[in-house]
Amino acid sequence: MLGYFGPAGTFTHQALRRITTEEALPFATVPRALDAVRDGEVTAALVPIENSVEGGVTATLDNLASGRPLVIAQEVIMPVSFVLAVRPGTALGDVRRVLTHPHAHAQTRAWVANHLPGALVTEGGSTASAAQEVADPESRHDAAICAAVAAELYGLEEAASDIADNPDAVTRFVLVRLPGETPAPTGADKTTLVAYMHADRSGALLEILEQFAMRGVNLTRIESRPTKKAYGEYCFSIDAEGHVGEPRMRGTLKGLHRVCREVTFLGSYPRADGVRPKIARGFTAADYDAAEHWMDDLLGRPHRA
């Protein structure tokens, strides 16, 4: 059975429905969903990891970086559309208190300021739990900013729809499982990892980035996160184009292992958008093979397969 960051009606739940119709188990928090995988309660769990407006989801990034080993097996990218959900009979002008998730608030802040200038917005655990709370007739909140599916699930009406400040906003979700055999490269893959510096010094980050640049590996995301072990100590959460099964990515990971205090490999998996990287001359698998054959000739030994 799969798990997901719940409750039912969250955007994560909607994203999960894109990859399976099987029943799945909701968990109240991202750490709880990931620990369920570690403890064998579920075979894998879907959690949000990145939003095009707000950036990385820190609960996911930090838990993957510091918890017991897990790897990403798949990603899902989904457009995010919010509604203002109210109890039946509540008019837009009656809304004084709004409940939602912090990321949802950040993505609808301008709309709220323009249409509900006097409303107090409270941030809670999830958009679905906000809808569930507002559905209670005794709730002190008049409205929830949530997904349309959550409004429908809890019997609420849409006082307004498509209220996101950025209509092109998307959220990226990842299906996480226990480490195992890495699937073969597809040609359109990502690798996710966390790199830890030996010490905070001039050029330490450059040394990490050089491992990617010198092998023609493009980064799609890099974020610094506190290690939570000492003040001012940071690690780097990175997504890069390519697969550990490809020579250029293997070389990159080996280089990082040499220059970093620690490298946490979080998986190589197919890109949801199917985009293939543009690999510069000198960095293709054929280029690496040719270089190996040339070196074999120099050393007078047979070519390796």
Side-chain angles (χ1 to χ4, degrees):
M1 176 178 284
L2 298 181
Y4 66 95
F5 170 46
T10 59
F11 287 105
T12 311
H13 189 203
Q14 281 188 264
L16 183 67
R17 291 304 181 195
R18 291 193 166 198
I19 60 176
T20 182
T21 58
E22 296 180 8
E23 183 180 355
L25 194 61
F27 293 93
T29 65
V30 167
R32 181 69 188 89
L34 296 177
D35 281 343
V37 180
R38 294 180 174 112
D39 295 336
E41 293 179 57
V42 294
T43 57
L46 192 74
V47 293
I49 194 170
E50 182 184 10
N51 178 269
S52 62
V53 175
E54 288 297 290
V57 178
T58 57
T60 301
L61 296 176
D62 293 349
N63 191 281
L64 289 176
S66 60
R68 283 173 284 163
L70 293 170
V71 294
I72 299 169
Q74 186 176 354
E75 70 173 4
V76 181
I77 296 177
M78 192 178 76
V80 175
S81 177
F82 297 100
V83 303
L84 185 75
V86 298
R87 289 183 291 276
T90 303
L92 184 63
D94 297 329
V95 174
R96 295 291 180 268
R97 289 178 174 268
V98 180
L99 182 63
T100 192
H101 183 272
H103 275 207
H105 184 201
Q107 294 178 67
T108 57
R109 200 181 304 275
W111 187 93
V112 171
N114 290 331
H115 295 84
L116 300 171
L120 172 66
V121 179
T122 302
E123 297 178 352
S126 74
T127 53
S129 61
Q132 185 178 25
E133 162 67 21
V134 170
D136 183 351
E138 302 300 320
S139 174
R140 62 191 181 93
H141 296 99
D142 306 308
I145 296 174
C146 60
V149 65
E152 181 181 352
L153 181 64
Y154 294 108
L156 300 176
E157 295 179 346
E158 295 182 16
S161 60
D162 297 324
I163 66 173
D165 300 334
N166 182 350
D168 298 321
V170 299
T171 295
R172 175 178 164 233
F173 304 85
V174 289
L175 187 68
V176 180
R177 61 168 175 80
L178 291 173
E181 185 176 355
T182 301
T186 67
D189 303 285
K190 280 182 186 175
T191 293
T192 298
L193 60 93
V194 183
Y196 295 81
M197 299 181 295
H198 275 287
D200 183 14
R201 60 174 178 79
S202 175
L205 175 57
L206 177 60
E207 192 174 44
I208 290 173
L209 296 178
E210 283 176 339
Q211 304 308 313
F212 296 93
M214 71 174 60
R215 295 173 179 89
V217 176
N218 183 48
L219 304 186
T220 59
R221 180 186 61 85
I222 180 168
E223 296 183 52
S224 62
R225 295 296 306 151
T227 63
K228 305 186 190 306
K229 294 180 179 179
Y231 176 73
E233 187 175 290
Y234 287 81
C235 58
F236 298 94
S237 178
I238 297 170
D239 291 333
E241 292 181 338
H243 190 284
V244 68
E246 299 169 340
R248 65 196 184 97
M249 185 59 75
R250 280 201 305 274
T252 298
L253 292 174
K254 289 177 182 178
L256 290 171
H257 190 269
R258 289 195 303 270
V259 304
C260 293
R261 173 169 56 85
E262 181 183 351
V263 179
T264 301
F265 174 71
L266 292 175
S268 291
Y269 48 91
R271 291 181 60 146
D273 56 16
V275 173
R276 292 176 174 265
K278 296 179 180 178
I279 303 176
R281 180 177 55 81
F283 298 109
T284 67
D287 293 328
Y288 274 89
D289 287 342
E292 289 291 346
H293 291 167
W294 177 72
M295 183 57 64
D296 289 338
D297 290 338
L298 290 181
L299 297 174
R301 62 191 183 193
H303 291 176
R304 285 165 281 183

